[in-house]
Amino acid sequence: MPSLPFHKLLIANRGEIAVRIARACRELDITSVAVYSEADRDALHVRACDEAYFIGPSSAKESYLRGDVIIEVARQAACDAIHPGFGFLAENAGFARAVIEAGLTWVGPSPEAITIMGSKIEAKKIAQRVGVPVVPGYFGEDQSPDKLAVEAGKIGYPVLIKASAGGGGKGMRVVERPEDLREGVAAAQREALAAFGDASVMLEKYLNEPRHIEVQVLGDAQGHVIHLGERECSIQRRHQKVMEESPSPILTPEMRERLTRSAVSLAKAAGYSNAGTVEFIYQDGEFYFLEMNTRLQVEHTVTEEALDVDLVEAQLRIAAGETLWIEQDEIEFVGHAIEVRLYAEDPERGFLPSTGKITALSLPFDDPDVRIDAGVSQGDLITPFYDPMIAKIITSGETRSEALRHMREVLGGLQVEGVRTNLDFLRWLVSHAQVDMGNLSTGFIDKYYRPGAFLFAPVPVTVAGAAVLLLSEDYGEPAAPPLSVWSANAWRLALQGLSGDFLIEGHTYNVSLSRTGDDPVMWQTKVQQGENVLLDAQICLKLRPQPEGAATFDRVPSVVQVELPDAPLYSLEYGWGADDRVSITWDRREYLVQSAPPLSTERMNTNVHLSDDNSLESPMPGKVLKVLVASGDSVEEEQPLVIIEAMKMEFTVRAPHSGTVAAVKYKEGDQVAVGDILVELNKPASQ
Ligand code: ADP
Ligand code: ADP
Ligand code: MG
């Protein structure tokens, strides 16, 4: 490889991508320069670079988004080039232009290509011109609510409102019913204006269960464009990816050919150079162009691993003016790679970001078969200012199942303490049978995941606990000796079928038992957690209370005997605890089981946390974007009260009931922490 014409590179970013680019610099013998904000004085990316310069307060607006300050630093530090990473200024054409005008090399596509492709509307027009299918929708100039309502009606509900300049799922709203369109449009426009400085929105037909498949492209300044295969990123929460892989488990060679050819023709039509990604959604054998990201992608790692290429190095060589050094037919998958994103966030509360100090973090840096791209290290803080990603974990293998198996092992051994993370969620995800089979869709999490779904109590425990509770429930006094399944009452009940919801260590299971035939110990047993069916089988089940007056010495305790298909006969000790709870011992561990109200699926969607009925807490750390009510106002149930913004989302806190506003505790622009009381309500006198 010819040596690059630059020796010193400024990385206008932070976190794992800055660390990743710094590694490329080390390998290429380029001096790396970091910039950092107040909150990032001790950040990992500062330590990863050879030099670092302070650029301002913690808020990204005053630091990582200050293009002028960053260019000035590059000048003073005598850098020859700037790499923007992703996020922040990466897709800002004005910044790219200013970098070039300052005489520095811009590691990215031309400002013109960024501008065209930065507008989802313009990009769709190009796609249509070169014959690439797009999702049916409205991409017009007229942004009046009336026009949008008419167009939405033509498209048919549900429709998706998108910010034309959007990214990261921001400014995106699914609207199910015509009556909700106006509020959705107003919110999307507000979010778009605040985040991207451009309020234009577009409408698209909302596909119900698509897959997200994207194509990595590389172009040079001489007009050559090649693709580096596809990535599938269908596992998403809030339209944001959490697991990605390459290649896609669903594409046939013919489909891959069509998809990649479309991506290349689009990139060529846009005069694209450097690394970029053409995103599609795929449903029922058809794919539709979504948008082009004119930058390195978070999940570029899986392409690197599956093809054995280095995309950051490629970006630098292209920026240096090199003509593409590889031909399309030299590009070949060498294996399969999977990435999961470990985030500081709380899957139990709608995947909201969490903050705090990482007191323990063990990542397998020594395992040669795992790639870790981390943005933080033990002792670091996750602050509310930036993306809460902790690390990307990438495993690979000759086959998909090998990569997935390896991922399960790696996640099983990870440890993170101090902040809430999605680690248990990721473990659940990579162990899911549908993931194993490659049955992915962007609706996967909505469809299969329920809070706590990843923490299955062992099935014998659930069955045993439910059996004790179900068979005793109708008899009042739980302290009374539990009944045997042979009792007349139990028999009568069982004929009707028994079922209930049970709480085990904070997680709810539904268990139903019904008699199947004459054999009094055989039960058709179904155990479910949300929509996950954990067991549905005919099993042998016996309740064996300890015999009265049994000798204390050598005694056999009260047990539930459970005989599952293909398993030994288990005898689980049980006993009654306080508050009608039953303890079940399994594998030398005691589990408490109690009857529970049915699991509310709303729990994860609920957007307001109540310390009591009238005090509305902030569900996440962030900034108060809008206060929609004042003290003394009367409000209806569900009425929006306050809008909070944090990281990449906007959050509406609504009234849980009608009443009057007793107090509004914050004003627009204020910073709030999780649990801060935002609004206090009084119930109307009549209630
Ligand atoms: P991508 O589009 O690269 O797959 P996402 O869709 O998750 O990534 O993220 C969308 C937006 O958020 C992009 O603008 C991306 O650059 C930014 N972003 C995501 N993760 C990070 C991160 N860890 N640090 C900085 N920016 C990020
Ligand atoms: P962003 O700029 O936020 O990345 P995209 O247009 O790339 O926006 O869409 C992000 C995600 O939103 C997609 O990966 C997909 O999950 C979902 N999405 C986008 N458009 C549609 C659609 N028309 N129907 C269903 N889901 C969609
Ligand atoms: Mg996208």
Side-chain angles (χ1 to χ4, degrees):
M1 192 190 102
S3 86
L4 292 167
F6 30 80
H7 308 285
K8 201 168 182 183
L9 176 89
L10 184 144
I11 304 165
N13 214 299
R14 61 178 304 285
E16 48 87 20
I17 190 57
V19 175
R20 160 76 185 91
I21 298 165
R23 171 163 67 78
C25 288
R26 261 195 311 280
E27 287 165 6
L28 295 166
D29 215 12
I30 297 169
T31 302
S32 55
V33 175
V35 290
Y36 63 95
S37 69
E38 188 63 49
D40 275 345
R41 280 186 183 280
D42 294 318
L44 192 62
H45 79 275
V46 172
R47 286 174 265 158
C49 289
D50 298 314
E51 292 175 19
Y53 296 84
F54 177 73
I55 49 167
S58 303
S59 137
K61 243 196 197 107
E62 297 173 276
S63 50
Y64 297 106
L65 290 171
R66 284 293 302 271
D68 53 343
V69 174
I70 291 171
I71 291 173
E72 192 45 41
V73 167
R75 265 218 199 95
Q76 284 179 9
C79 297
D80 339 87
I82 294 187
H83 193 308
F86 42 65
F88 300 128
L89 297 165
E91 290 170 282
N92 184 317
F95 178 65
R97 201 167 287 122
V99 168
I100 295 165
E101 279 165 8
L104 298 159
T105 301
W106 165 249
V107 184
S110 68
E112 294 73 32
I114 297 177
T115 306
I116 301 176
M117 289 313 204
S119 156
K120 287 187 161 74
I121 293 178
E122 292 307 315
K124 298 246 161 166
K125 289 182 184 158
I126 297 184
Q128 282 170 322
R129 211 173 62 223
V130 297
V132 174
V134 301
V135 190
Y138 172 71
F139 317 119
E141 308 278 301
D142 187 345
Q143 297 279 312
S144 68
D146 289 337
K147 174 73 176 166
L148 291 169
V150 169
E151 293 296 333
K154 282 193 212 154
I155 295 165
Y157 286 83
V159 296
L160 183 64
I161 310 170
K162 273 187 196 177
S164 176
K170 203 160 177 169
M172 209 183 282
R173 286 265 181 310
V174 183
V175 178
E176 305 279 350
R177 304 171 308 170
E179 53 269 39
D180 296 335
L181 187 77
R182 276 161 207 272
E183 192 189 325
V185 164
Q189 285 175 335
R190 196 167 49 235
E191 235 172 272
L193 188 65
F196 315 109
D198 175 357
S200 339
V201 296
M202 56 194 241
L203 303 173
E204 271 179 19
K205 174 92 199 137
Y206 187 64
L207 304 184
N208 59 344
E209 276 190 39
R211 300 171 75 119
H212 174 115
I213 303 178
E214 58 187 34
V215 178
Q216 174 72 52
V217 297
L218 273 185
D220 63 19
Q222 292 71 36
H224 308 102
V225 180
I226 58 167
H227 71 81
L228 282 79
E230 83 284 1
R231 295 183 284 257
E232 171 147 6
C233 322
S234 295
I235 304 292
Q236 308 180 344
R237 83 268 179 268
R238 286 192 260 106
H239 307 299
Q240 262 199 293
K241 303 154 188 168
V242 269
M243 176 180 133
E244 304 97 342
E245 60 187 295
S246 180
S248 161
I250 196 171
L251 285 195
T252 59
E254 299 73 50
M255 192 56 92
R256 173 168 300 121
E257 175 60 31
R258 270 177 56 204
L259 190 75
T260 52
R261 202 162 354 99
S262 294
V264 169
S265 63
L266 246 165
K268 279 195 173 144
Y272 200 83
S273 66
N274 217 291
T277 297
V278 184
E279 296 191 323
F280 297 89
I281 42 180
Y282 175 96
Q283 186 167 297
D284 306 325
E286 298 295 328
F287 60 83
Y288 308 90
F289 169 67
L290 271 186
E291 62 160 347
M292 180 162 190
N293 289 325
T294 55
R295 55 174 161 89
L296 194 64
Q297 205 93 342
V298 175
E299 62 278 13
H300 71 281
T301 57
V302 291
T303 299
E304 293 189 321
E305 300 308 313
L307 293 171
D308 197 18
V309 293
D310 185 327
L311 284 167
V312 175
E313 180 194 310
Q315 285 191 293
L316 294 169
R317 291 171 69 176
I318 290 167
E322 251 186 83
T323 304
L324 270 182
W325 49 95
I326 20 175
E327 301 279 340
Q328 186 64 66
D329 55 18
E330 293 172 67
I331 301 292
E332 230 181 302
F333 286 108
V334 296
H336 194 104
I338 300 180
E339 169 182 283
V340 296
R341 304 187 188 186
L342 178 64
Y343 278 107
E345 67 181 16
D346 189 353
E348 300 271 305
R349 292 173 73 194
F351 297 92
L352 290 184
S354 58
T355 54
K357 184 175 175 152
I358 302 184
T359 52
L361 178 64
S362 73
L363 293 165
F365 284 108
D366 301 335
D367 184 339
D369 297 327
V370 184
R371 170 169 171 185
I372 305 284
D373 280 21
V376 293
S377 58
Q378 184 164 316
D380 287 352
L381 291 172
I382 301 287
T383 68
F385 303 108
Y386 319 109
D387 190 279
M389 193 197 282
I390 296 171
K392 302 187 293 204
I393 298 149
I394 304 103
T395 57
S396 25
E398 274 175 31
T399 61
R400 182 173 189 270
S401 65
E402 198 181 313
L404 201 52
R405 180 161 42 79
H406 201 177
M407 184 64 83
R408 286 195 281 268
E409 286 161 13
V410 172
L411 294 182
L414 278 194
Q415 191 206 0
V416 196
E417 277 164 26
V419 285
R420 280 184 187 277
T421 71
N422 64 345
L423 179 57
D424 278 329
F425 164 80
L426 294 174
R427 288 174 176 153
W428 167 83
L429 182 68
V430 300
S431 309
H432 201 284
Q434 298 296 330
V435 171
D436 208 43
M437 291 187 278
N439 294 334
L440 313 176
S441 84
T442 60
F444 186 94
I445 292 176
D446 273 349
K447 188 166 171 186
Y448 294 108
Y449 173 73
R450 293 295 171 268
F454 43 79
L455 276 179
F456 297 145
V459 165
V461 170
T462 315
V463 172
V468 175
L469 282 159
L470 280 175
L471 296 169
S472 314
E473 217 159 48
D474 262 42
Y475 306 91
E477 196 41 60
L483 286 136
S484 128
V485 285
W486 296 287
S487 84
N489 263 335
W491 175 254
R492 180 182 52 74
L493 281 171
L495 283 176
Q496 298 157 4
L498 295 168
S499 98
D501 288 288
F502 301 94
L503 195 63
I504 309 178
E505 301 198 327
H507 304 291
T508 305
Y509 301 79
N510 179 274
V511 181
S512 62
L513 302 176
S514 51
R515 294 299 322 281
T516 48
D518 290 339
D519 191 341
V521 295
M522 293 310 292
W523 300 80
Q524 186 65 36
T525 305
K526 191 165 181 186
V527 179
Q528 267 178 286
Q529 193 181 43
E531 287 178 17
N532 292 296
V533 177
L534 305 181
L535 175 79
D536 192 359
Q538 192 165 328
I539 67 170
C540 176
L541 185 62
K542 297 177 192 170
L543 231 73
R544 288 286 175 81
Q546 187 177 37
E548 289 271 358
T552 46
F553 137 88
D554 211 356
R555 66 182 204 156
V556 176
S558 297
V559 296
V560 189
Q561 292 187 311
V562 179
E563 199 170 1
L564 299 167
D566 305 319
L569 170 67
Y570 293 118
S571 294
L572 296 94
E573 186 179 346
Y574 74 88
W576 287 95
D579 302 327
D580 295 10
R581 275 186 299 199
V582 168
S583 75
I584 301 286
T585 306
W586 164 259
D587 209 12
R588 289 181 302 284
R589 217 184 123 188
E590 197 183 342
Y591 296 84
L592 289 176
V593 184
Q594 68 187 105
S595 291
L599 177 65
S600 150
T601 48
E602 264 122 50
R603 203 176 99 201
M604 75 181 285
N605 298 327
T606 183
N607 64 6
V608 58
H609 200 64
L610 303 172
S611 48
D612 63 59
D613 219 21
N614 293 313
S615 308
L616 311 191
E617 291 179 10
S618 175
M620 58 183 192
K623 198 172 81 179
V624 177
L625 193 64
K626 254 195 156 28
V627 174
L628 303 163
V629 290
S631 181
D633 286 359
S634 51
V635 293
E636 295 300 313
E637 187 176 332
E638 283 294 296
Q639 185 172 329
L641 305 176
V642 174
I643 300 175
I644 305 286
E645 184 199 49
M647 288 173 227
K648 296 182 198 156
M649 9 176 357
E650 202 182 272
F651 220 85
T652 305
V653 174
R654 292 169 188 277
H657 54 72
S658 63
T660 37
V661 176
V664 177
K665 303 285 199 178
Y666 293 92
K667 59 182 190 316
E668 288 172 16
D670 285 351
Q671 205 72 31
V672 290
V674 185
D676 282 352
I677 308 276
L678 301 170
V679 175
E680 283 182 356
L681 292 180
N682 286 327
K683 283 193 177 169
S686 60
Q687 283 185 8

